[in-house]
Amino acid sequence: MSIPVKAAKLLSQYSFQLPETKGRLLVTEYQFNVPLDYTAPTDKQLRLFARGVDRTEIPLVPDDRPRPSKPWLTYLTGGPGFGCDLPENLPWTNWMLCLDQRGFGLSNTLTTQTIQSVSTDPKVQAEYLSKFRADNSVRDCEAIRQCLMEGLPEERRKWTIMGQSYGGFMATTYLSFYPEGLREAFILGGLPPLRDGPEDTYRRLYARLRTANATYHTLHPHDASHLHQILTYLLSHPIPTLPPTRFLSLGLLLGFHGGPSRLHSLLTRFTLDLTTFGHPTSRTVDEILESALGIESGVAYALLHEPLYCALGHGTPSSWTADRLRHSSSPSDEFHDFQPPTSLSDLSTRQSRGKLPALFTAEQIFPLHLSSSPALAPLLPAAEILASKTDWPALYNLDQLGKNEVPVYAAVYLDDLYVDCGLSLETARGIKGCRVAMGNGLLHNAVRARVEECLGWVWRLREEEGGVVQ
């Protein structure tokens, strides 16, 4: 059932032209107040930040008539845990609203410090953090839409949303509970699994990750020896902030355009440091930590990533699923190879059996990621409470999606390492009228790395009314 949402309170707005665009981009920065908890709307408030971007036009013939209001396109960025990019760095800019979702970017940012300022009690922290999932972020969007569209005719009060990755998960939540606010929805590599709990998702993604590891070592066969050398060093000269588990999270790069080259560069730098200095430089360690999830600057990602899959309200906890799957007791288990070597003898045994020293992981979050990070370790007790939580509210309404009337255009990447294409197509079949463009060649960051091709997929669906109609 949808919780009623009232218009957000507009606190301030400030407009300026970007000089580097010769006045062609007009940016308006907004600040809003919204409730932390929409079931108690008069209690604690959050301050949200958004940027509106418009491409100004210089007419051939001067025209003093007022410009008609344009329909907003609201961009829902990926994550969870990261804010929108600066307007000048965005690939499309035409009457677009870039909202930093609650807890991310400039919107009531979640950090260890800000969470501890709420309470030092892990139970209170966990309850507070539970308010930062997609359901409330969508209510924020709806509250802001009502604020910005106030006074317009009803049909002109609707807006278009475009969600990338986690933003696509949010778009599906929006379609589930507040479709009356939407004109249309574009989803780029972000049709979520309509399952309760992360297990099905991670079983599929681990299988994809195994293939990605094999592909990488085919491309860079010498990196197996580099990986062995690095793990030998980390096991014999432990770096508290960079245990093997965190280092192996560099596999996150395998799912991005340009990522394998970046991974190879980091492995090369580490081994060159060992050859030259006998140890990795601080710069190398810092770059690896930032590339291996970067959770110190994206606290919400570490704390709320697995719970976003507890999506149907059936009482399934997240239970550190990614970690549990890889810690199976049988060496023959399909996920066992994702365990890092625990000792030099373990590493030697793997080598003697002709195995890779270890398999890279990717977006999977493990308890050790938090315990090994000075910035995040204080939040591990709250994370444990979140992992055992069974009363997560539903993020999707399957009945509403099945009778959806909002035009939906989705791009599904068959080679996506983070959003399983099989589960995405299953979801598309559950959204009435969803049109899908799918194919090889685009990876998870296509909206940044290959924006024209990525957006071309969904624009053509919209223009031609084609695609795979569900």
Side-chain angles (χ1 to χ4, degrees):
M1 185 177 71
S2 300
I3 295 175
V5 172
K6 295 183 179 180
K9 180 180 179 181
L10 179 62
L11 299 176
S12 68
Q13 66 180 81
Y14 165 67
S15 298
F16 59 95
Q17 291 182 326
L18 290 177
E20 54 266 46
T21 66
K22 298 181 179 179
R24 295 298 181 90
L25 287 187
L26 178 68
V27 176
T28 302
E29 295 180 343
Y30 300 93
Q31 294 185 40
F32 305 92
N33 255 12
V34 298
L36 169 67
D37 183 350
Y38 280 86
T39 65
T42 60
D43 291 350
K44 182 177 175 59
Q45 303 290 298
L46 300 179
R47 182 181 291 253
L48 303 187
F49 179 87
R51 289 187 181 95
V53 187
D54 186 22
R55 183 175 294 278
T56 61
E57 300 170 355
I58 302 177
L60 293 175
V61 179
D63 188 349
D64 295 329
R65 289 177 297 178
R67 297 172 63 195
S69 61
K70 297 179 182 179
W72 283 99
L73 186 155
T74 298
Y75 181 61
L76 308 175
T77 191
F82 307 101
C84 284
D85 206 343
L86 294 173
E88 56 266 40
N89 297 333
L90 293 170
W92 64 93
T93 46
N94 190 21
W95 209 245
M96 180 174 66
L97 185 73
C98 300
L99 171 65
D100 281 356
Q101 301 148 21
R102 58 167 57 197
F104 315 154
L106 301 180
S107 291
N108 231 95
T109 309
L110 289 175
T111 67
T112 301
Q113 182 181 20
T114 61
I115 294 168
Q116 289 181 324
S117 71
V118 173
S119 177
T120 57
D121 183 341
K123 291 182 180 179
V124 177
Q125 292 174 349
E127 178 62 24
Y128 178 69
L129 289 163
S130 72
K131 308 300 183 187
F132 287 80
R133 290 207 311 164
D135 47 359
N136 282 316
S137 293
V138 164
R139 292 179 189 119
D140 294 340
C141 290
E142 182 60 10
I144 290 171
R145 181 191 69 84
Q146 293 181 29
C147 174
L148 294 177
M149 306 294 195
E150 187 176 5
L152 293 177
E154 187 62 32
E155 188 55 33
R156 293 193 62 80
R157 295 182 68 193
K158 297 183 178 182
W159 63 12
T160 295
I161 56 174
M162 176 177 288
Q164 185 265 336
S165 185
Y166 173 69
F169 289 36
M170 280 185 59
T172 308
T173 301
Y174 212 143
L175 290 165
S176 293
F177 297 110
Y178 301 98
E180 65 277 6
L182 301 179
R183 174 178 287 104
E184 54 192 350
F186 297 89
I187 297 176
L188 309 173
L191 278 171
L194 299 182
R195 306 287 181 91
D196 203 55
E199 183 144 342
D200 287 346
T201 297
Y202 278 120
R203 286 185 177 276
R204 291 175 181 241
L205 295 183
Y206 267 132
R208 289 180 170 273
L209 191 51
R210 180 182 294 278
T211 300
N213 272 270
T215 300
Y216 176 81
H217 285 290
T218 299
L219 183 65
H220 296 288
H222 297 295
D223 279 359
S225 63
H226 291 165
L227 183 56
H228 188 278
Q229 184 180 358
I230 292 168
L231 291 173
T232 298
Y233 180 86
L234 293 176
L235 289 168
S236 56
H237 302 80
I239 300 175
T241 58
L242 190 62
T245 290
R246 181 68 185 271
F247 176 82
L248 292 169
S249 294
L250 281 173
L252 182 72
L253 295 168
L254 294 175
F256 298 144
H257 291 287
S261 294
R262 171 69 175 156
L263 175 57
H264 172 69
S265 176
L266 289 171
L267 295 183
T268 300
R269 169 178 284 185
F270 200 125
T271 53
L272 283 174
D273 280 357
L274 294 181
T275 301
T276 306
F277 309 111
H279 59 82
T281 63
S282 58
R283 178 183 175 187
T284 296
V285 172
D286 289 344
E287 288 200 24
I288 288 172
L289 288 172
E290 184 59 32
S291 298
L293 295 173
I295 49 179
E296 285 77 13
S297 58
V299 171
Y301 188 92
L303 299 172
L304 296 173
H305 188 262
E306 278 203 4
L308 68 85
Y309 293 110
C310 302
L312 299 184
H314 293 168
T316 305
S318 56
S319 300
W320 298 111
T321 297
D323 195 50
R324 174 171 50 81
L325 286 174
R326 71 182 185 138
H327 278 100
S328 56
S329 58
S330 172
S332 62
D333 189 279
E334 59 182 316
F335 307 115
H336 189 272
D337 289 344
F338 286 99
Q339 292 187 37
T342 56
S343 64
L344 292 174
S345 61
D346 182 13
L347 185 61
S348 178
T349 298
R350 296 184 186 207
Q351 188 175 33
S352 67
R353 292 175 178 173
K355 290 187 173 184
L356 289 169
L359 293 182
F360 288 107
T361 57
E363 65 170 8
Q364 292 84 356
I365 296 292
F366 310 128
L368 188 60
H369 285 133
L370 278 71
S371 63
S372 64
S373 169
L376 297 179
L379 300 178
L380 183 56
E384 295 285 2
I385 294 172
L386 291 171
S388 63
K389 184 177 173 67
T390 58
D391 59 347
W392 291 111
L395 297 177
Y396 313 117
N397 183 325
L398 303 187
D399 290 338
Q400 177 59 42
L401 294 174
K403 59 184 180 183
N404 171 65
E405 296 181 356
V406 178
V408 180
Y409 310 98
V412 174
Y413 314 139
L414 297 182
D415 301 317
D416 200 322
L417 192 57
Y418 311 115
V419 181
D420 181 76
C421 64
L423 292 177
S424 290
L425 293 175
E426 178 183 285
T427 296
R429 289 190 289 272
I431 303 175
K432 183 180 178 182
C434 180
R435 297 178 180 273
V436 177
M438 56 184 174
N440 300 102
L442 293 185
L443 301 179
H444 195 67
N445 64 335
V447 73
R448 295 182 182 86
R450 297 190 180 179
V451 60
E452 291 185 5
E453 187 176 357
C454 171
L455 294 183
W457 282 18
V458 290
W459 292 156
R460 283 192 294 272
L461 287 181
R462 184 177 187 269
E463 293 170 0
E464 300 170 5
E465 287 298 307
V468 180
V469 183
Q470 309 299 339

